């Protein structure tokens, strides 16, 4: 059976186990621990979606924070009560002032607007290669931030939007983690995904075989931007505020580290490393404060990146998608073997 055929039962099992864990977490953990878990889930969405561009197609994009900003502002404006919008955002079109959307359609709208922005900038920007593309997508972050600062009548400028409703819950994050993994897995194991991987391995050969290289790149860029916009909307309604500096270029490098460590092209690797790095950073923070060694987690992560680049340049998993259930089952069976043989 192909990876796509065996994925559905594994995905269903993962969703069921995840739902049980979410229910248990909400019943037993305090709001601080729950917020850490939610940030870990948001980073999983961001790392897996960035892998579409950086892993599947092989483009070095740093533009995710820009799309998070777009999605975050769109979601916040649509969800905000009409009375507040009329007072706080005087230049907002009357049609938008009258709108007061539910959270889910507002999230999806933020994702679609981010994807549309990716399509607009994608055709000229994705003609670049290598570090030129990285610099161009990095510049996109500053361009979006500049718009957010200067459009004071729509975004409140540097003051940002505060006091937003706390709509994001662990269930919402879990839902979109599942949706992101499902869509990215289906894309990777489809003809479109094989086309993307062909472009990554040899662009010239793919073009000679009739592959629409530019269109495929823009499609991958837009799909990643869609999930980044949704993650931005979830983040905004988790912390209940957004400003032009909410998503900086430092976040872009952190996401690239997650993709590189997990494996450029591995959905499983990106998800595991994103969750692990988020939890590791939060667990180590009290230790840093107690010891007075601030930034120790960043040093450890940097050393880990260097070691992976030296000894496993393709990342921990490369492009592979290991069956974690089978791996766990083998560990359990090995642990039971001595007891069984003794009987």
């Amino acid at each position: 059976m192909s990876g796509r055929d065996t994925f559905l039962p594994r995905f269903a099992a993962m969703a069921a186990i995840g739902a049980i864990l979410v229910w248990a977490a909400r019943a037993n953990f305090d709001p601080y621990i729950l917020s850490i878990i939610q940030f870990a889930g948001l980073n999983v969405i961001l790392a897996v979606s960035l892998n579409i561009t950086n892993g599947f197609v092989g483009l070095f994009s740093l533009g995710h924070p820009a799309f998070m900003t777009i999605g975050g502002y769109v979601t916040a404006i649509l969800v905000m009560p009409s009375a507040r919008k009329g007072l706080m955002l005087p230049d907002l079109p009357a049609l938008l002032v009258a709108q007061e959307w539910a959270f889910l359609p507002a999230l999806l709208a933020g994702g679609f607007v981010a994807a549309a922005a990716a399509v607009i900038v994608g055709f000229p920007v994705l003609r670049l290669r290598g570090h030129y593309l990285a610099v161009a997508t990095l510049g996109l972050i500053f361009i979006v931030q500049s718009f957010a600062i200067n459009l004071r009548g729509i975004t409140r400028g540097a003051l940002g939007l505060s006091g937003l409703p706390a709509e994001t819950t662990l269930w919402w994050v879990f839902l979109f983690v599942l949706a992101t993994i499902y869509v990215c897995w289906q894309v990777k194991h489809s003809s479109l995904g094989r086309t993307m991987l062909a472009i990554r391995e040899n662009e010239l050969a793919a073009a000679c075989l009739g592959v629409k290289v530019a269109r495929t790149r823009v499609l991958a860029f837009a799909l990643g931007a869609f999930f980044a916009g949704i993650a931005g909307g979830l983040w905004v309604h988790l912390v209940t505020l957004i400003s032009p500096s909410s998503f900086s270029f430092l976040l872009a490098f952190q996401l690239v580290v997650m993709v590189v460590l997990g494996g450029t092209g591995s959905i499983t690797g990106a998800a595991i490393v994103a969750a692990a790095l988020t939890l590791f950073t939060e667990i180590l923070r009290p230790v840093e404060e107690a010891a007075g060694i601030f930034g120790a987690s960043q040093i450890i992560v940097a050393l880990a990146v260097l070691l992976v680049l030296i000894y496993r340049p393709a990342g921990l998993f490369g492009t592979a998608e290991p069956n974690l259930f089978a791996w766990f089952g083998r560990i359990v069976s090995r642990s039971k073997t001595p007891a069984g043989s003794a009987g």
Side-chain angles (χ1 to χ4, degrees):
M1 297 177 69
S2 67
R4 194 173 184 179
D5 295 330
T6 60
F7 172 67
L8 286 177
R10 289 159 56 186
F11 180 79
M14 180 181 68
I17 294 172
I20 295 171
L21 292 176
V22 168
W23 176 82
R26 285 174 58 86
N28 295 284
F29 293 148
D30 58 55
Y32 174 70
I33 300 297
L34 289 177
S35 67
I36 294 175
I37 298 174
Q38 290 176 81
F39 281 119
L42 293 179
N43 282 335
V44 169
I45 295 172
L46 292 166
V48 171
S49 61
L50 182 62
N51 216 359
I52 299 173
T53 306
N54 289 30
F56 296 177
V57 187
L59 299 174
F60 189 50
S61 171
L62 297 173
H64 253 37
F67 303 123
M68 291 178 70
T69 303
I70 294 172
Y73 270 107
V74 170
T75 305
I77 290 172
L78 291 176
V79 170
M80 187 183 297
S82 300
R84 287 195 66 198
K85 281 189 279 194
L87 293 174
M88 296 173 61
L89 311 175
D91 294 341
L92 196 66
L95 179 62
L96 290 178
V97 172
Q99 300 293 319
E100 191 172 332
W101 290 24
F103 187 49
L104 179 58
L107 272 178
L108 296 176
F112 281 119
V113 172
V119 171
I120 293 171
V121 303
F123 279 104
V125 167
L126 296 182
R127 295 177 181 273
L128 303 173
R129 301 289 184 274
H131 58 280
Y132 297 106
L133 176 62
V135 172
T137 52
L138 186 63
L140 182 62
I141 300 174
F142 296 103
I143 292 172
V144 171
Q145 288 179 344
S146 297
F147 273 108
I149 292 172
N150 290 291
L151 295 175
R152 296 182 180 87
I154 298 178
T155 63
R156 292 192 73 213
L159 295 175
L161 303 175
S162 59
L164 300 173
E167 298 281 357
T168 300
T169 64
L170 190 55
W171 283 113
W172 280 119
V173 174
F174 174 66
L175 172 65
F176 281 104
V177 166
L178 289 180
T180 306
I181 292 174
Y182 179 82
V183 171
C184 292
W185 190 286
Q186 294 297 329
V187 167
K188 181 178 180 179
H189 294 90
S190 66
S191 59
L192 174 61
R194 289 188 287 272
T195 299
M196 291 178 179
L197 294 173
I199 293 173
R200 186 190 71 177
E201 296 301 325
N202 193 319
E203 177 186 339
L204 181 59
C208 291
L209 291 174
V211 172
K212 305 293 185 182
V213 175
R215 186 172 65 184
T216 304
R217 281 180 165 169
V218 172
L219 180 59
F221 197 51
L223 185 57
F226 172 78
F227 287 109
I230 287 179
L234 289 169
W235 190 96
V236 165
H237 289 278
L238 175 60
V239 302
T240 68
L241 62 88
I242 182 173
S243 69
S245 59
S246 292
F247 310 112
S248 66
F249 67 93
L250 292 177
L251 175 60
F253 289 109
Q254 291 171 1
L255 295 176
V256 169
V257 166
M258 295 172 187
V259 173
V260 170
L261 287 179
T264 51
S266 174
I267 298 170
T268 307
I272 291 175
V273 172
L277 281 184
T278 306
L279 297 177
F280 170 76
T281 303
E282 292 298 329
I283 291 171
L284 198 60
R285 184 166 295 165
V287 178
E288 293 177 346
E289 295 176 355
I293 308 174
F294 297 99
S297 59
Q298 284 83 356
I299 296 174
I300 294 173
V301 171
L303 291 174
V305 172
L306 289 175
L307 291 175
V308 169
L309 291 177
I310 292 172
Y311 294 105
R312 290 188 65 88
L316 296 177
F317 295 98
T319 59
E321 304 292 351
N323 188 340
L324 298 180
F325 293 104
W327 176 75
F328 182 73
R330 285 195 295 268
I331 293 178
V332 173
S333 63
R334 288 173 184 172
S335 66
K336 292 181 179 180
T337 299
S341 60

